[in-house]
Each structure stands twice: as structure tokens, then as C-alpha cells.
Amino acid sequence: MARQDQITPPLAPHSGERQDPRGPEHVAIIMDGNGRWAQMRGRPRLFGHHAGAQRIREVLEACPDLGVKYLTIFAFSTENWKRTQTEVAGLMRLFRHYIQREARELLKSGVRVRFIGDRIKLDDKLVSLMDELELLTSGNDKVHLTIALNYGGRDEVTRAAKRLAYEIEMGRLTHQDVDAETLARFLDTRVLPDPDLVIRTSGEARISNFLLWQSAYAEYEFVDTLWPDFTRAEFARIVASYAARDRRFGAVSA
Ligand code: FPP
């Protein structure tokens, strides 16, 4: 049976606990601008992706101090396969090396790593490294890092709907059970809280199929900085400014 068709029972959904009610518990980042950063330096796009990979650690390390418990980063979208073969192959190589290089540090610093996205198109070596890293760090709870790899919001909802339909076909659920909460239990993110804040770097103001379902009520911050130039200080400033936002979730202010 193909990997994506294996029906796994939904895990317990996120408990809804909050650390600091004023700060964002879950920050998601669209790390954009690597290509332009490299081109501005007359270097190949992959040079920018390597520089971008090095930025992750600094942002991740800042999370506990800023009260950010969940960090989700967009590493490769379901649409990114349209890039040149050289760039795609280079990115896949970078993901493998990143996992091998960072695994020990992530474990030591209390980071629990998860991957979201469809693994079916990823090569076996990369998938086994992803599985191993998830298992290795599964006892950690200081920061939860989720890496979106071959991820697309529409693709995720489609896969969830397919699995839900399968459960109905098997007689384990009926159409009466289908509501937003049930569907969310079939999403890749089922154990995560929804993002409170989504940051996109590089001056583009679009969401590019990232966490479509989960970001229904997220706050957005679009910054001009190219991802390889993004610093801990800028991250801290954005997180701090979130506290001033008035999130109403469709209701009116108190
Ligand atoms: C978008 O910038 C970035 C990507 C498609 C790849 C993101 C990958 C990384 C930040 C590094 C590796 C990540 C991990 C988890 C090791 P772009 O290339 O579209 O930039 P551009 O808009 O300037 O061309």
C-alpha cells in the first residue's frame, strides 16, 4: 500500500494549554527570500538556501525566552517541485544534511521535531532521517519545531478528507460525525495548536498555501528582510508587537 494511503488513527488533539496568554504560543514562518539574497551577491540560489538554513538555529534558540512553545517553518512546498532540477536536488540534499548535522544539538536543547507534508514524493533516505529525528526527539518538550516539507495547505486538507472518507467507508465514522473538529483530527497538524502569528519575510504579502486551515484566525506580519538576514532581534520585536494586537476571533472587543 502506498505510504499516503495508510490510514493511521488520529492522535489526541492539542490540549489547548497556553504558556503566556499575551505572547504567541505558536509562530509559523514562511522563510522567503533566499534566492534573491544569493543573487544579490552574485551567487547561485542554493547558496541562499544554505545561508537560510543557518538562520533557523538562532530563531529557534530565541523561542523559550520569548515564550514561543511551537515554531513551524515552511521548508518546501508542494509547488516547489516546479523549480529547476538542480535547485530541487540541492534543497533535498540540504534537508538531509541539516537533519544529520543538527540532530544532536536539537536533542540536547530540548527541541521536539515533527515534519508535516506528504512524504510520498520524498526519497526514502530523507524520509528515514525524518522518521529517526522525530523518534529521537519525541521525549523533548521545551520547544516544538515543525518543519513543513512537501507541504501544501490544500494538499493537506485533501489528504485529510480522503482519510476521513476512508473511515466512513470502513464504518468507523458516519457523515454525521463530520465537523471542523473531526476533520482537524485528520490534518498533519492534529497535535499542534493553531498558529497565533504567521511571519513572512522578503516583502511578499501572500500566504502561498501555508497552513490554510490552521491560520483562519492567525495574525500576519510581513517584513521586508530576506530570510538569510532575519535576526533574533527582529524576531523578538515582532513577537513583542503581537502582544499589542486585539484578537477578536470574530467577536467584538470587551
Ligand atoms: C523560499 O525562498 C525558500 C525556500 C523555498 C526554501 C526554504 C528553505 C530554507 C530556509 C533552508 C533549508 C531549510 C531547512 C529546514 C534545512 P526563495 O528561494 O523562493 O527566495 P526568492 O523568493 O528570493 O527566490
Side-chain angles (χ1 to χ4, degrees):
M1 192 193 257
R3 271 196 302 258
Q4 71 176 358
D5 291 333
Q6 286 170 0
I7 306 297
T8 45
L11 303 175
H14 177 254
S15 68
E17 279 170 9
R18 293 284 284 105
Q19 284 237 316
D20 174 357
R22 286 161 307 137
E25 180 191 36
H26 184 175
V27 178
I29 307 182
I30 301 173
M31 309 179 289
D32 196 13
N34 297 343
R36 274 164 286 168
W37 185 91
Q39 278 159 355
M40 281 161 61
R41 287 160 178 77
R43 303 296 298 268
R45 295 176 56 80
L46 274 168
F47 180 71
H49 295 313
H50 281 267
Q54 285 172 13
R55 289 283 97 200
I56 297 169
R57 193 191 277 202
E58 185 175 320
V59 171
L60 189 58
E61 281 174 359
C63 286
D65 290 344
L66 300 173
V68 175
K69 185 87 180 169
Y70 296 86
L71 180 72
T72 299
I73 54 176
F74 206 0
F76 193 87
S77 78
T78 45
E79 288 72 38
N80 286 153
W81 298 103
K82 294 179 201 153
R83 297 186 175 206
T84 64
Q85 210 266 334
T86 309
E87 186 170 351
V88 170
L91 275 166
M92 294 300 149
R93 211 167 33 244
L94 173 59
F95 299 141
R96 288 196 301 271
H97 291 164
Y98 175 85
I99 295 174
Q100 286 167 323
R101 199 179 56 230
E102 297 291 318
R104 191 182 306 201
E105 182 60 33
L106 290 163
L107 176 66
K108 209 173 75 189
S109 46
V111 179
R112 178 167 186 173
V113 183
R114 295 184 180 87
F115 292 90
I116 56 171
D118 192 352
R119 300 181 188 202
I120 196 75
K121 271 179 96 176
L122 302 174
D123 79 58
D124 289 345
K125 173 72 184 159
L126 176 57
V127 172
S128 53
L129 287 169
M130 290 158 63
D131 288 341
E132 282 166 25
L133 185 59
E134 284 186 332
L135 189 64
L136 180 75
T137 61
S138 60
N140 283 348
D141 184 44
K142 193 166 176 190
V143 183
H144 293 246
L145 172 68
T146 302
I147 302 175
L149 226 170
N150 192 29
Y151 175 86
R154 287 184 174 178
D155 178 68
E156 180 192 30
V157 173
T158 307
R159 285 184 289 108
K162 202 175 196 172
R163 293 169 65 209
L164 190 49
Y166 182 79
E167 291 300 297
I168 293 172
E169 222 170 273
M170 291 294 111
R172 292 192 282 259
L173 290 174
T174 76
H175 75 277
Q176 307 276 23
D177 297 317
V178 180
D179 57 16
E181 202 181 298
T182 308
L183 185 79
R185 294 215 315 268
F186 289 86
L187 295 173
D188 297 349
T189 53
R190 58 193 167 272
V191 295
L192 305 175
D194 286 343
D196 301 296
L197 174 65
V198 180
I199 301 170
R200 182 177 188 139
T201 57
S202 93
E204 311 286 353
R206 53 176 177 265
I207 57 172
S208 302
N209 205 5
F210 188 43
L211 301 174
L212 295 181
W213 174 283
Q214 300 84 346
S215 298
Y217 284 99
E219 298 290 324
Y220 281 89
E221 182 81 21
F222 299 102
V223 295
D224 288 337
T225 312
L226 302 176
W227 173 252
D229 290 329
F230 193 75
T231 59
R232 179 190 173 114
E234 186 162 19
F235 185 52
R237 179 191 61 74
I238 296 169
V239 167
S241 73
Y242 169 93
R245 296 187 182 212
D246 178 21
R247 298 186 76 198
R248 295 193 292 272
F249 299 94
V252 289
S253 299

